[in-house]
Amino acid sequence: MKSDLIIIGGGIIGLYSAYLLAQSGIKITLIDKGNFGQESSWAAGGILSPLLPWHYSDKVLSLTRSAARDYKNLSTHLAISTGLDIEYWKCGLTIHETVNDDISQWCDQHNIICQQIENIQQNHIHLPDIAQVRMPLVIKALVELLQRENVTLLNNTDVLNYQIHNRRITAVGTRDGDIHTENVLSTTGAWRPETDNARLSVNWPAIIPIKGQMIAMQAIPGLLRNILYKDGHYLIPRKDGLIIAGSTIEHVGYTKQITNSARETLWQNSLDIYPELERYPITHQWAGIRPGTADNVPTIGPHPELEGLYLNCGHFRYGVAMAPMSAHIIREWLLNDGKTLTGEQRCYAGYNFA
């Protein structure tokens, strides 16, 4: 079997990368050790912007700036091509904080609409253009679209080895045989591909597994109409009335075990933000493993030590929002050797190596 490109890792970064590259006529094989999108992507809340964006670096913001527009376009494309709705919703974000001059000036400089909402008890910041998508629906629709685009999808497939000649990848080994290729894109999130059976013998970006737990409450549709944020905790309303509350940040390795302490903390924080939720008990709780980095900045581009190996990994909390621009950057590296990228976009190549 031969492929122009093998993508290893079927979360939102791998799926979106495959989506863009398939449109360029590249023959792609997408491999995941489990089911597509079932790890961090499935667990994600789907907010298409950093929370409190003024707290983040320009490197993070440049990757998320076009997310709402890109997912709106993707939503239309997926609806036409597959008939599936990913529930794109420009619902806005309300932050329990007072607008000060620094925040107001920052928003003006970055062309972000920022409104002050005043009430008797406290002041709020409202960002009306913040949007969201529902990630399990995004995963389902992208997988169906890629099947229609003749992308070879191999789920529940381990990479057993890499064949390398003269410091260039020539094939990837799986249980079903070798797939010959000259290009491999790693989008493995928190899971590095250099396992005991798949060693590449190269340096790798400094990525740390960070667990996040979330809970959900089934309320009535329309009870909450925009995302709420307060003191590190957020509530995300869905169109069917489901409300997602998150999330914890836990440095506990790769364990995804849910805990009663996290459940209680998330529940109490939810009531602090929106007391009306007391009438709606928790319906379920889950955890995901994020690919953490020290500064929230991913590595996107060719590996400096092994020709034909490309990386798109380390997106931490905002992989969903970063996916479209990250996929655009990696596409330009693969098709044009990065020559069409701006200096700002090229900076992610080799950025976060240990």
Side-chain angles (χ1 to χ4, degrees):
M1 181 176 173
K2 182 171 174 47
S3 189
D4 296 330
L5 170 68
I6 298 173
I7 301 177
I8 302 174
I12 186 59
I13 300 299
L15 289 167
Y16 213 113
S17 298
Y19 161 67
L20 280 192
L21 287 161
Q23 295 177 23
S24 301
I26 296 176
K27 184 179 180 181
I28 299 171
T29 300
L30 178 61
I31 302 175
D32 195 277
K33 67 177 183 177
N35 290 316
F36 294 115
Q38 295 296 305
E39 294 292 349
S40 179
S41 299
W42 196 271
I47 303 173
L48 302 180
S49 169
L51 298 163
L52 307 184
W54 41 86
H55 286 176
Y56 289 88
S57 69
D58 288 342
K59 288 186 173 70
V60 171
L61 296 173
S62 66
L63 290 176
T64 61
R65 190 173 295 127
S66 65
R69 181 194 67 206
D70 291 330
Y71 276 97
K72 183 178 181 180
N73 293 337
L74 177 66
S75 176
T76 300
H77 186 188
L78 290 173
I80 294 171
S81 301
T82 69
L84 298 174
D85 179 13
I86 63 173
E87 294 191 15
Y88 172 87
W89 183 14
K90 191 170 78 171
C91 58
L93 165 66
T94 300
I95 302 165
H96 288 238
E97 188 172 327
T98 301
V99 176
N100 57 41
D101 289 341
D102 290 340
I103 293 175
S104 180
Q105 291 173 9
W106 186 94
C107 289
D108 288 342
Q109 292 169 0
H110 290 81
N111 297 315
I112 293 176
I113 298 174
C114 176
Q115 301 168 342
Q116 172 103 30
I117 300 175
E118 299 182 2
N119 58 34
I120 297 175
Q121 296 180 331
Q122 57 187 319
N123 295 328
H124 297 157
I125 301 169
H126 185 63
L127 307 180
D129 289 336
I130 302 301
Q132 60 157 300
V133 290
R134 200 159 178 170
M135 284 310 297
L137 301 178
V138 174
I139 299 299
K140 180 180 179 181
L142 277 174
V143 168
E144 182 166 328
L145 180 64
L146 293 177
Q147 290 172 332
R148 294 168 184 251
E149 296 284 347
N150 295 318
V151 173
T152 301
L153 301 176
L154 302 178
N155 64 339
N156 297 306
T157 299
D158 287 322
V159 172
L160 301 179
N161 57 68
Y162 296 86
Q163 296 178 24
I164 300 171
H165 180 69
N166 291 333
R167 300 304 298 164
R168 183 177 189 100
I169 290 177
T170 58
V172 171
T174 73
R175 64 169 185 253
D176 297 319
D178 294 341
I179 306 171
H180 296 277
T181 188
E182 293 186 348
N183 299 292
V184 171
L185 171 61
S186 177
T187 61
T188 52
W191 287 266
R192 294 166 54 162
E194 315 101 299
T195 62
D196 290 340
N197 295 323
R199 293 201 176 277
L200 286 168
S201 300
V202 294
N203 291 315
W204 206 258
I207 297 173
I208 306 164
I210 301 177
K211 183 170 79 169
Q213 296 189 57
M214 303 178 79
I215 59 173
M217 293 75 69
Q218 184 60 60
I220 58 174
L223 177 71
L224 186 60
R225 295 185 178 274
N226 52 275
I227 301 165
L228 300 182
Y229 177 90
K230 181 180 180 182
D231 297 334
H233 187 83
Y234 55 84
L235 298 175
I236 309 171
R238 304 300 196 199
K239 292 182 178 181
D240 62 1
L242 192 71
I243 296 177
I244 308 298
S247 69
T248 63
I249 298 178
E250 303 174 51
H251 295 261
V252 293
Y254 289 94
T255 175
K256 291 198 295 181
Q257 181 179 2
I258 60 175
T259 63
N260 290 332
S261 60
R263 181 186 181 95
E264 181 62 23
T265 296
L266 291 169
W267 174 242
Q268 292 300 325
N269 287 342
S270 299
L271 296 183
D272 181 49
I273 297 177
Y274 200 68
E276 290 88 341
L277 288 177
E278 189 172 15
R279 294 180 291 163
Y280 304 99
I282 298 170
T283 57
H284 53 289
Q285 177 182 1
W286 66 96
I289 306 295
R290 309 181 187 98
T293 58
D295 49 10
N296 295 283
V297 179
T299 299
I300 311 168
H303 196 287
E305 301 172 29
L306 190 59
E307 193 173 353
L309 175 62
Y310 296 83
L311 307 177
N312 194 358
C313 54
H315 296 76
F316 194 23
R317 302 186 74 180
Y318 297 112
V320 175
M322 291 179 175
M325 182 55 68
S326 296
H328 166 74
I329 292 171
I330 209 69
R331 180 183 64 181
E332 296 309 302
W333 277 113
L334 279 157
L335 298 183
N336 302 302
D337 198 28
K339 294 175 183 176
T340 59
L341 296 173
T342 67
E344 181 183 51
Q345 292 169 335
R346 291 173 66 90
C347 77
Y348 301 100
Y351 180 78
N352 236 338
F353 280 89

